[in-house]
Coordinates of all heavy atoms in Angstrom, one line a residue:
A841 N 118.4 53.8 16.8 CA 118.0 55.0 17.5 C 117.5 56.1 16.5 O 116.6 56.8 16.7 CB 119.1 55.5 18.3
A842 N 118.2 56.1 15.3 CA 117.9 57.1 14.3 C 116.4 57.0 13.7 O 115.8 57.9 13.3 CB 118.9 57.1 13.1
Q843 N 115.9 55.7 13.8 CA 114.6 55.5 13.3 C 113.5 56.2 14.2 O 112.4 56.3 13.8 CB 114.3 54.0 13.3 CG 115.1 53.3 12.2 CD 114.8 51.8 12.2 OE1 113.7 51.3 12.4 NE2 115.9 51.0 12.0
F844 N 113.9 56.5 15.4 CA 113.0 57.2 16.4 C 113.6 58.6 16.7 O 113.7 58.9 17.9 CB 112.9 56.3 17.6 CG 112.3 55.0 17.3 CD1 113.2 53.9 17.1 CD2 110.9 54.7 17.3 CE1 112.7 52.6 16.8 CE2 110.4 53.5 17.0 CZ 111.3 52.4 16.8
N845 N 113.9 59.3 15.7 CA 114.6 60.6 15.9 C 113.7 61.5 16.7 O 112.5 61.6 16.6 CB 114.7 61.2 14.5 CG 115.5 62.5 14.5 OD1 116.4 62.7 15.4 ND2 115.3 63.4 13.6
G846 N 114.3 62.1 17.7 CA 113.6 63.0 18.6 C 113.2 62.3 19.9 O 112.7 63.0 20.8
A847 N 113.4 61.0 20.0 CA 113.0 60.3 21.3 C 114.1 60.4 22.3 O 113.9 59.9 23.4 CB 112.7 58.8 21.0
G848 N 115.3 60.9 22.0 CA 116.4 61.1 22.9 C 117.0 59.8 23.4 O 117.5 59.6 24.5
I849 N 117.0 58.8 22.5 CA 117.6 57.5 22.8 C 119.1 57.5 22.8 O 119.7 58.1 21.9 CB 117.1 56.4 21.7 CG1 115.6 56.3 21.8 CG2 117.8 55.1 22.0 CD1 115.0 55.4 20.7
Q850 N 119.7 57.0 23.9 CA 121.1 56.9 24.1 C 121.6 55.6 23.5 O 120.8 54.6 23.5 CB 121.5 57.0 25.5 CG 121.1 58.3 26.2 CD 121.7 59.5 25.7 OE1 123.0 59.6 25.5 NE2 120.9 60.5 25.3
T851 N 122.8 55.5 23.0 CA 123.3 54.3 22.5 C 124.7 54.0 23.0 O 125.4 54.9 23.5 CB 123.4 54.3 20.9 OG1 124.3 55.4 20.5 CG2 122.1 54.5 20.3
G852 N 125.1 52.7 22.9 CA 126.5 52.3 23.3 C 126.7 50.9 22.9 O 125.9 50.3 22.2
T853 N 127.9 50.4 23.3 CA 128.2 49.0 22.9 C 128.1 48.1 24.2 O 128.0 48.6 25.3 CB 129.7 48.9 22.4 OG1 130.6 49.2 23.5 CG2 129.9 49.8 21.3
L854 N 128.1 46.8 24.0 CA 127.9 45.9 25.1 C 129.1 45.9 26.0 O 129.1 45.3 27.1 CB 127.7 44.5 24.5 CG 126.3 44.3 23.9 CD1 126.2 42.9 23.2 CD2 125.2 44.5 24.9
D855 N 130.2 46.6 25.6 CA 131.3 46.7 26.5 C 130.9 47.4 27.8 O 131.6 47.2 28.9 CB 132.5 47.5 25.8 CG 133.0 46.8 24.6 OD1 132.9 45.5 24.6 OD2 133.6 47.4 23.7
T856 N 129.9 48.3 27.7 CA 129.5 49.0 28.9 C 128.2 48.4 29.5 O 127.5 49.0 30.3 CB 129.2 50.5 28.5 OG1 128.1 50.5 27.6 CG2 130.4 51.2 28.0
M857 N 127.9 47.1 29.1 CA 126.7 46.5 29.5 C 126.5 46.5 31.0 O 125.4 46.9 31.5 CB 126.7 45.1 29.0 CG 125.4 44.3 29.4 SD 125.5 42.6 28.8 CE 126.9 41.9 29.8
V858 N 127.4 46.0 31.8 CA 127.2 45.8 33.2 C 126.9 47.1 33.9 O 126.0 47.2 34.7 CB 128.4 45.1 33.9 CG1 128.2 44.9 35.4 CG2 128.6 43.7 33.2
E859 N 127.7 48.1 33.6 CA 127.5 49.4 34.2 C 126.2 50.0 33.9 O 125.4 50.5 34.7 CB 128.6 50.4 33.7 CG 128.5 51.8 34.3 CD 129.6 52.7 33.7 OE1 130.5 52.2 33.0 OE2 129.4 53.9 33.9
T860 N 125.8 49.9 32.6 CA 124.5 50.4 32.1 C 123.3 49.7 32.8 O 122.4 50.3 33.3 CB 124.4 50.3 30.6 OG1 125.5 51.0 30.0 CG2 123.1 50.9 30.1
V861 N 123.4 48.4 32.8 CA 122.4 47.5 33.5 C 122.2 47.9 34.9 O 121.1 48.1 35.4 CB 122.6 46.0 33.3 CG1 121.7 45.2 34.2 CG2 122.5 45.6 31.8
C862 N 123.3 48.0 35.6 CA 123.2 48.3 37.1 C 122.7 49.8 37.3 O 122.3 50.1 38.5 CB 124.5 48.1 37.7 SG 125.0 46.3 37.8
N863 N 122.7 50.6 36.3 CA 122.2 52.0 36.5 C 120.8 52.1 35.9 O 120.3 53.2 35.8 CB 123.1 53.0 35.8 CG 124.4 53.2 36.6 OD1 124.4 53.2 37.8 ND2 125.5 53.4 35.9
S864 N 120.2 51.0 35.6 CA 118.9 51.0 35.0 C 117.8 50.4 36.0 O 118.2 49.7 36.9 CB 118.8 50.1 33.7 OG 119.8 50.6 32.7
D865 N 116.6 50.8 35.7 CA 115.5 50.2 36.5 C 114.9 49.0 35.8 O 114.4 48.0 36.4 CB 114.4 51.3 36.7 CG 114.9 52.5 37.4 OD1 115.5 52.4 38.5 OD2 114.9 53.6 36.8
V866 N 114.8 49.1 34.5 CA 114.2 48.0 33.7 C 115.1 47.7 32.5 O 115.6 48.6 31.8 CB 112.8 48.4 33.1 CG1 112.2 47.4 32.2 CG2 111.8 48.7 34.2
V867 N 115.4 46.4 32.3 CA 116.3 46.0 31.2 C 115.6 44.9 30.3 O 115.0 43.9 30.9 CB 117.6 45.4 31.7 CG1 118.5 44.9 30.6 CG2 118.3 46.5 32.5
F868 N 115.6 45.1 29.0 CA 115.1 44.1 28.1 C 116.3 43.5 27.4 O 117.2 44.3 26.9 CB 114.2 44.7 27.1 CG 112.9 45.3 27.6 CD1 112.9 46.6 28.0 CD2 111.8 44.5 27.8 CE1 111.7 47.1 28.5 CE2 110.6 45.0 28.3 CZ 110.6 46.3 28.7
T869 N 116.4 42.2 27.3 CA 117.5 41.6 26.6 C 117.0 40.8 25.4 O 116.1 40.0 25.5 CB 118.3 40.6 27.5 OG1 117.5 39.5 27.9 CG2 118.8 41.4 28.7
C870 N 117.6 41.0 24.2 CA 117.2 40.3 23.0 C 118.4 40.2 22.0 O 118.3 40.6 20.8 CB 116.0 41.0 22.3 SG 116.2 42.8 22.1
T871 N 119.5 39.8 22.5 CA 120.7 39.6 21.7 C 120.7 38.2 21.1 O 120.0 37.3 21.5 CB 122.0 39.9 22.5 OG1 122.3 38.7 23.2 CG2 121.9 41.1 23.4
S872 N 121.6 38.0 20.2 CA 121.7 36.6 19.5 C 122.7 35.8 20.2 O 123.1 34.7 19.7 CB 122.1 36.8 18.0 OG 123.3 37.5 17.9
A873 N 123.2 36.2 21.4 CA 124.2 35.4 22.1 C 123.7 34.0 22.4 O 122.5 33.8 22.7 CB 124.5 36.1 23.5
T874 N 124.5 33.0 22.3 CA 124.1 31.6 22.6 C 124.3 31.2 24.0 O 123.9 30.1 24.4 CB 124.9 30.7 21.6 OG1 126.3 30.9 21.9 CG2 124.6 31.0 20.2
E875 N 124.9 32.0 24.8 CA 125.1 31.8 26.3 C 124.6 33.0 27.0 O 124.6 34.1 26.5 CB 126.6 31.5 26.6 CG 127.2 30.3 25.9 CD 126.7 29.0 26.4 OE1 126.2 29.0 27.6 OE2 126.7 28.0 25.7
P876 N 124.2 32.8 28.3 CA 123.8 34.0 29.1 C 124.9 35.1 29.2 O 126.1 34.8 29.3 CB 123.5 33.4 30.5 CG 123.2 31.9 30.2 CD 124.1 31.5 29.1
I877 N 124.4 36.3 29.0 CA 125.4 37.4 29.1 C 125.2 38.2 30.5 O 126.1 39.0 30.8 CB 125.2 38.4 28.0 CG1 123.8 39.0 27.9 CG2 125.6 37.8 26.6 CD1 123.6 40.0 26.8
L878 N 124.2 37.8 31.2 CA 124.0 38.4 32.6 C 123.7 37.2 33.5 O 122.9 36.4 33.3 CB 122.8 39.3 32.6 CG 122.9 40.7 31.8 CD1 121.6 41.4 31.9 CD2 124.0 41.5 32.4
D879 N 124.4 37.3 34.7 CA 124.2 36.3 35.7 C 124.5 36.9 37.1 O 124.8 38.1 37.2 CB 125.1 35.0 35.5 CG 126.6 35.4 35.4 OD1 127.0 36.5 35.9 OD2 127.4 34.6 34.9
R880 N 124.3 36.1 38.1 CA 124.4 36.6 39.5 C 125.8 37.2 39.7 O 125.9 38.2 40.3 CB 124.1 35.5 40.5 CG 124.3 35.9 41.9 CD 123.9 34.8 42.9 NE 124.2 35.3 44.3 CZ 123.7 34.8 45.3 NH1 122.8 33.7 45.3 NH2 124.0 35.3 46.5
A881 N 126.8 36.4 39.3 CA 128.2 36.8 39.6 C 128.5 38.2 39.0 O 129.3 39.0 39.5 CB 129.2 35.8 39.1
T882 N 127.9 38.5 37.8 CA 128.2 39.8 37.2 C 127.5 40.9 37.9 O 128.0 42.0 38.0 CB 127.7 39.7 35.7 OG1 128.3 38.5 35.1 CG2 128.0 40.9 34.9
L883 N 126.2 40.7 38.3 CA 125.4 41.8 38.8 C 125.6 42.0 40.3 O 125.6 43.2 40.7 CB 123.9 41.5 38.5 CG 123.5 41.4 37.1 CD1 122.0 41.0 37.0 CD2 123.7 42.7 36.4
E884 N 125.8 41.0 41.1 CA 125.8 41.1 42.5 C 126.8 42.2 43.1 O 126.4 43.0 43.9 CB 126.1 39.8 43.2 CG 125.9 39.8 44.7 CD 125.9 38.4 45.3 OE1 126.5 37.5 44.6 OE2 125.3 38.1 46.3

């Protein structure tokens, strides 16, 4: 976020992932996880 100083980017950890995703309109995922981190049971 600091590389884009002034863009007003918010940050957080993946602990708040589900809440943040469900409060978003568009989500991009590009983590190094080897298993899915979002699925139907989590979001529904």
